[in-house]
Amino acid sequence: MQTGKAIQHAARLIREGKLVAFPTETVYGLGANAFNPDAVANIFRLKERPSFDPLIVHVANLEQAASLSKHSDDRIRLLAEKFWPGPLTIVVEKNERVPDIVTSGLNTVGIRMPDHPLALRLISEAQTPIAAPSANKFGRISPTRAEHVANQLPDVPYIIDGGPTTVGIESSVIRLHDDGFVMLRPGAVSSEEIKKVIPESHIRIEKEDEFHSPGQIKSHYSPQKSMFLGISDFNDSDLSNGGLIAWGTPEYASKFKKVEYLSKTRNSEEAAINLFNALHTMEAADVEFIIADTVPEEGIGIAIMDRLKKAAYRHRNNAS
């Protein structure tokens, strides 16, 4: 765990317009002063991130959240009382202080309060909201450990090492509308939980060419090796040069060269924590391809399958 002096140093870098990678409970973020467009531009450059993909802004308190939003909305307070700090991002109409580069030119901004003591200390010490996507090259595997950041982004000026993350997948993202909300990206907070606080929109269709949230692109979280979902198409294949990301302890695991277990007990929360580290491990392993077991699409399993489908999309789409 980093010392107070390390946090003070990182906060000074943020105030000076530099980038800092820092831990949250979900994944590691690559942060910059959200009100400094030049600093935010360096996030896009270092990540090789396309300009159409907006960033989430992280805050340490409701006052900072209010400094980003165009309108006061009691629903933000209700959601914050229930889910913040925590893995929920709320997309609202932004005010003029938020640079267009943060939101990719949209009139909305995603805001969340991370549930990690180092992240909250960094934001408070920097005295500014921090814009931060995941600290990895665009489209690649998200980082859940400091070494994942260092491997993909060796030029990042400073990394705060907070150990492994405790949720393991990115936040749920909702967009507020006059009649409720829509889920833009699944995560640890489910629609059912949110509906207990505010209603869900009855009918709402987002424009396909507008990405109001990160993680909406079909191909994302991708390893640099061929990846497939499910074992069913490979029952008669030679699996001895492959890697398996396993759900439970399947008998066919012995056929693979390397196995990483999401959860031997089929615990979805444990699987979420282990997901991205398993992908990083397989990407670095001496295997020719990766097969990932599917998990039940209920609860946080919906978010796990969202990440696995997007991780496998590039190879599946190129092969078809």
Side-chain angles (χ1 to χ4, degrees), residues 106-157:
L106 297 171
N107 67 348
T108 57
V109 61
I111 307 170
R112 98 173 182 97
M113 188 185 298
D115 189 14
H116 195 292
L118 295 183
L120 293 173
R121 286 172 59 190
L122 173 66
I123 300 166
S124 296
E125 187 76 25
Q127 299 179 342
T128 180
I130 293 180
S134 56
N136 57 292
K137 289 293 185 183
F138 178 76
R140 297 280 304 283
I141 306 167
S142 299
T144 55
R145 300 166 187 256
E147 56 264 34
H148 297 162
V149 180
N151 289 339
Q152 288 198 46
L153 300 177
D155 295 331
V156 64

Side-chain angles (χ1 to χ4, degrees), residues 54 62 81 99 139 221:
L62 286 176
E81 288 175 355
Y221 319 110

Side-chain angles (χ1 to χ4, degrees), residues 157-206:
Y158 195 71
I159 302 173
I160 300 173
D161 188 348
T165 61
T166 55
V167 172
I169 56 175
E170 296 85 355
S171 61
S172 306
V173 181
I174 63 168
R175 185 180 181 190
L176 293 181
H177 292 290
D178 291 342
D179 57 348
F181 76 95
V182 291
M183 180 72 75
L184 299 180
R185 181 178 70 185
V189 180
S190 69
S191 291
E192 288 69 27
E193 291 176 285
I194 297 166
K195 281 188 283 187
K196 294 177 181 178
V197 180
I198 62 172
E200 186 175 26
S201 299
H202 296 295
I203 300 175
R204 183 69 63 174
I205 300 174
E206 303 291 337

Side-chain angles (χ1 to χ4, degrees), residues 8-318:
Q8 291 172 4
H9 174 67
R12 184 167 62 251
L13 292 176
I14 293 290
R15 291 194 298 272
E16 292 173 353
K18 297 181 174 63
L19 305 184
V20 171
F22 63 97
T24 75
E25 78 281 23
T26 59
V27 299
Y28 275 70
L30 180 65
N33 181 344
F35 296 132
N36 184 333
D38 293 331
V40 173
N42 284 330
I43 293 177
F44 285 88
R45 178 189 58 78
L46 191 61
K47 278 180 61 74
E48 300 174 5
R49 183 185 182 95
S51 60
F52 61 74
D53 202 16
L55 307 181
I56 289 171
V57 180
H58 296 68
V59 299
N61 51 58
L62 286 176
E63 289 73 23
Q64 285 186 337
S67 74
L68 304 165
S69 179
K70 186 173 183 178
H71 306 291
S72 176
D73 193 327
D74 286 340
R75 294 174 300 173
I76 296 176
R77 176 182 56 80
L78 293 173
L79 290 166
E81 288 175 355
K82 178 67 176 178
F83 299 111
W84 282 0
L88 175 68
T89 295
I90 307 170
V91 176
V92 299
E93 191 171 354
K94 78 178 184 74
N95 63 29
E96 68 282 352
R97 291 192 66 196
V98 182
D100 285 345
I101 191 173
V102 172
T103 65
S104 298
L106 297 171
N107 67 348
T108 57
V109 61
I111 307 170
R112 98 173 182 97
M113 188 185 298
D115 189 14
H116 195 292
L118 295 183
L120 293 173
R121 286 172 59 190
L122 173 66
I123 300 166
S124 296
E125 187 76 25
Q127 299 179 342
T128 180
I130 293 180
S134 56
N136 57 292
K137 289 293 185 183
F138 178 76
R140 297 280 304 283
I141 306 167
S142 299
T144 55
R145 300 166 187 256
E147 56 264 34
H148 297 162
V149 180
N151 289 339
Q152 288 198 46
L153 300 177
D155 295 331
V156 64
Y158 195 71
I159 302 173
I160 300 173
D161 188 348
T165 61
T166 55
V167 172
I169 56 175
E170 296 85 355
S171 61
S172 306
V173 181
I174 63 168
R175 185 180 181 190
L176 293 181
H177 292 290
D178 291 342
D179 57 348
F181 76 95
V182 291
M183 180 72 75
L184 299 180
R185 181 178 70 185
V189 180
S190 69
S191 291
E192 288 69 27
E193 291 176 285
I194 297 166
K195 281 188 283 187
K196 294 177 181 178
V197 180
I198 62 172
E200 186 175 26
S201 299
H202 296 295
I203 300 175
R204 183 69 63 174
I205 300 174
E206 303 291 337
K207 293 181 181 179
E208 291 187 1
D209 60 346
E210 287 190 358
F211 296 99
H212 291 273
S213 161
Q216 291 187 278
I217 300 170
K218 292 180 179 178
S219 177
H220 215 62
Y221 319 110
S222 303
Q224 292 186 303
K225 293 177 178 175
S226 298
M227 180 171 165
F228 308 89
L229 284 184
I231 191 67
S232 58
D233 293 335
F234 299 89
N235 287 336
D236 297 323
S237 304
D238 180 6
L239 303 174
S240 59
N241 285 321
L244 174 68
I245 297 177
W247 172 248
T249 56
E251 293 182 0
Y252 50 77
S254 61
K255 299 180 180 180
F256 288 83
K257 186 172 186 178
K258 185 172 181 61
V259 181
E260 287 290 314
Y261 292 94
L262 292 177
S263 174
K264 291 184 177 181
T265 60
R266 299 194 173 189
N267 179 287
S268 295
E269 285 72 22
E270 181 184 20
I273 292 169
N274 292 330
L275 173 61
F276 285 133
N277 190 58
L279 285 168
H280 280 285
T281 300
M282 283 300 182
E283 185 174 60
D286 182 23
V287 297
E288 294 181 1
F289 58 90
I290 304 165
I291 296 176
D293 283 339
T294 59
V295 307
E297 293 192 60
E298 51 192 39
I300 200 171
I302 296 172
I304 294 171
M305 286 303 300
D306 171 76
R307 277 38 169 205
L308 285 174
K309 289 172 183 176
K310 289 173 179 173
Y313 180 88
R314 183 175 62 182
H315 177 79
R316 183 176 69 252
N317 200 50
N318 289 342

